[in-house]
């Protein structure tokens, strides 16, 4: 009887998962199909009518990527800006958080527990609340950053700094939980053999922490790539500095009726995060369970 119940339960969960997956992906499918439909059909009929009488065109993608001869899209010009903003905004907090998490997990010093609690508490600070103070600091010049100038040689530095600051609390929290769960016997054995913190960090901890590092890298990459608020506020919004999200917000036109641009632009912008996720997803599940390993 228990075996029959388990099979029924398994089938019920499988059926539920399939239904949820279909409902979740249907709007995305409709958006994808609409991106290949002519402008007039998009504005007059629903995407499901394409299933009965398909009319395909690549004009929407040509208009978005290269401008289609009228300069309305030109996402290709903003793609490089997105890459330049996103890659350092992932690497900077990843490296800093890794060193900080190792120190908090395996180096004893006064106030360590209080510091961990403080870093965890910083995650509740809203990003929107910090933008105004950051703009005030940047406009006057602060630390190693010159006065805020979106067209200057350091035009991306302020965006990198903002994304790094906003990402560090979560990165340290995630990596600390993972590193603190590593087998203590392994770390102690390496210390007995005379291993320094540098050796421990690079030869033992770094290979073991790869799932957590990749997990944070994926989350941060998707967040920064899809960010509009920080990019629009600190990049200046020009073609020299603005990422793709800023340009996507402008594709709807002044009257908000250029739907064919948005459907194509959405998939052009989503292509890179999808490729990053698919290439690194095998590490994601283990990294999200950070701290579950017991020594």
């Amino acid at each position: 009887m228990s075996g029959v119940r388990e099979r029924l339960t398994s089938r019920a969960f499988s059926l539920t998962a399939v239904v949820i997956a279909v409902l979740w992906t249907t709007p995305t499918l409709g958006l994808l199909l609409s991106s290949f439909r002519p402008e007039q059909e998009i504005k007059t009929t629903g995407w499901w009518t394409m299933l009965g009488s398909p009319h395909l065109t690549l004009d929407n993608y040509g208009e978005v990527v290269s401008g289609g001869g009228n300069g309305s899209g030109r996402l290709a010009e903003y793609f490089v800006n997105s890459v330049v903003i996103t890659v350092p905004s992932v690497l900077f907090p990843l490296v800093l958080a890794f060193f900080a998490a190792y120190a908090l997990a395996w180096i004893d010093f006064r106030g360590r527990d209080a510091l961990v609690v403080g870093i965890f508490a910083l995650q509740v600070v809203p990003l929107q609340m910090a933008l105004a103070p950051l703009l005030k600091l940047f406009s006057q010049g602060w630390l190693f950053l010159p006065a805020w100038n979106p067209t200057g040689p350091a035009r991306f530095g302020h965006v990198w700094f903002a994304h790094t600051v906003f990402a560090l609390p979560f990165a340290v929290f995630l990596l600390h939980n993972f590193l603190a769960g590593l087998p203590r016997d392994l770390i102690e054995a390496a210390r007995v053999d005379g291993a320094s913190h540098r050796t421990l960090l690079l030869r033992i901890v770094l290979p073991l922490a790869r799932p957590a590092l990749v997990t944070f890298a994926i989350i941060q990459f998707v967040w920064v790539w899809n960010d509009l608020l920080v990019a629009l506020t600190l990049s200046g919004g020009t073609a020299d500095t603005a990422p793709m999200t800023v340009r996507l917000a402008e594709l709807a036109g002044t009257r908000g009726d250029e739907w064919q641009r948005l459907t194509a632009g959405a998939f052009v912008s989503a292509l890179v995060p999808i490729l990053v996720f698919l290439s690194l997803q095998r590490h994601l599940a283990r990294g999200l369970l950070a701290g579950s390993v017991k020594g």
Side-chain angles (χ1 to χ4, degrees):
M1 180 65 67
S2 60
V4 175
R5 289 180 178 178
E6 290 179 358
R7 287 196 297 270
L8 291 176
T9 303
S10 177
R11 291 176 182 176
F13 277 116
S14 299
L15 180 60
T16 302
V18 171
V19 172
I20 293 175
V22 171
L23 294 176
W24 187 270
T25 56
T26 297
T28 305
L29 175 63
L31 189 66
L32 176 61
L33 295 178
S34 297
S35 66
F36 291 101
R37 301 180 68 206
E39 175 182 355
Q40 187 61 31
E41 292 189 7
I42 291 178
K43 296 180 178 180
T44 56
T45 59
W47 63 267
W48 52 87
T49 59
M50 180 182 178
L51 301 177
S53 55
H55 296 91
L56 304 179
T57 179
L58 294 176
D59 293 343
N60 299 334
Y61 285 93
E63 181 180 356
V64 165
V65 174
S66 62
N70 57 10
S72 59
R74 298 183 300 175
L75 276 185
E77 299 180 10
Y78 295 80
F79 179 84
V80 176
N81 293 340
S82 290
V83 174
V84 172
I85 290 175
T86 304
V87 173
S89 297
V90 173
L91 294 180
F92 290 159
L94 189 66
V95 174
L96 294 176
F98 179 63
F99 286 111
Y102 173 81
L104 293 172
W106 295 106
I107 299 178
D108 293 326
F109 58 89
R110 182 178 299 178
R112 183 182 65 173
D113 295 338
L115 185 58
V116 172
V117 173
I119 292 174
F120 175 75
L122 285 175
Q123 297 184 70
V124 304
V125 177
L127 180 151
Q128 295 83 352
M129 193 176 75
L131 283 179
L134 280 178
L135 280 174
K136 184 177 181 180
L137 290 173
F138 291 161
S139 63
Q140 300 172 355
W142 187 57
L143 295 178
F144 56 89
L145 293 173
W148 185 68
N149 181 10
T151 61
R155 58 187 181 275
F156 293 112
H158 301 87
V159 183
W160 296 337
F161 182 83
H163 280 303
T164 300
V165 170
F166 294 140
L168 274 177
F170 172 71
V172 174
F173 174 73
L174 176 66
L175 296 178
H176 170 264
N177 284 354
F178 191 92
L179 298 185
L182 294 177
R184 180 169 293 274
D185 293 342
L186 177 63
I187 304 298
E188 294 298 335
R191 287 176 175 174
V192 171
D193 291 337
S196 62
H197 285 299
R198 178 181 178 182
T199 302
L200 283 171
L201 192 66
L202 298 180
R203 296 189 178 182
I204 297 178
V205 176
L206 181 59
L208 295 175
R210 184 179 302 174
L213 294 172
V214 172
T215 298
F216 172 74
I218 293 175
I219 295 173
Q220 178 70 356
F221 187 96
V222 174
W223 169 264
V224 177
W225 186 272
N226 292 327
D227 169 72
L228 174 62
L229 179 60
V230 175
L232 185 61
T233 304
L234 299 179
S235 70
T238 64
D240 295 333
T241 57
M244 295 179 65
T245 51
V246 174
R247 187 55 181 166
L248 283 174
E250 301 171 351
L251 289 181
T254 56
R255 299 181 179 179
D257 58 350
E258 300 296 335
W259 303 341
Q260 77 283 356
R261 298 181 190 172
L262 292 178
T263 55
F267 277 93
V268 172
S269 178
L271 181 61
V272 173
I274 290 174
L275 293 177
V276 170
F277 174 79
L278 292 178
S279 62
L280 301 175
Q281 64 172 334
R282 60 193 180 95
H283 299 285
L284 185 61
R286 184 184 172 192
L288 289 176
L289 298 176
S292 62
V293 179
K294 299 298 181 182

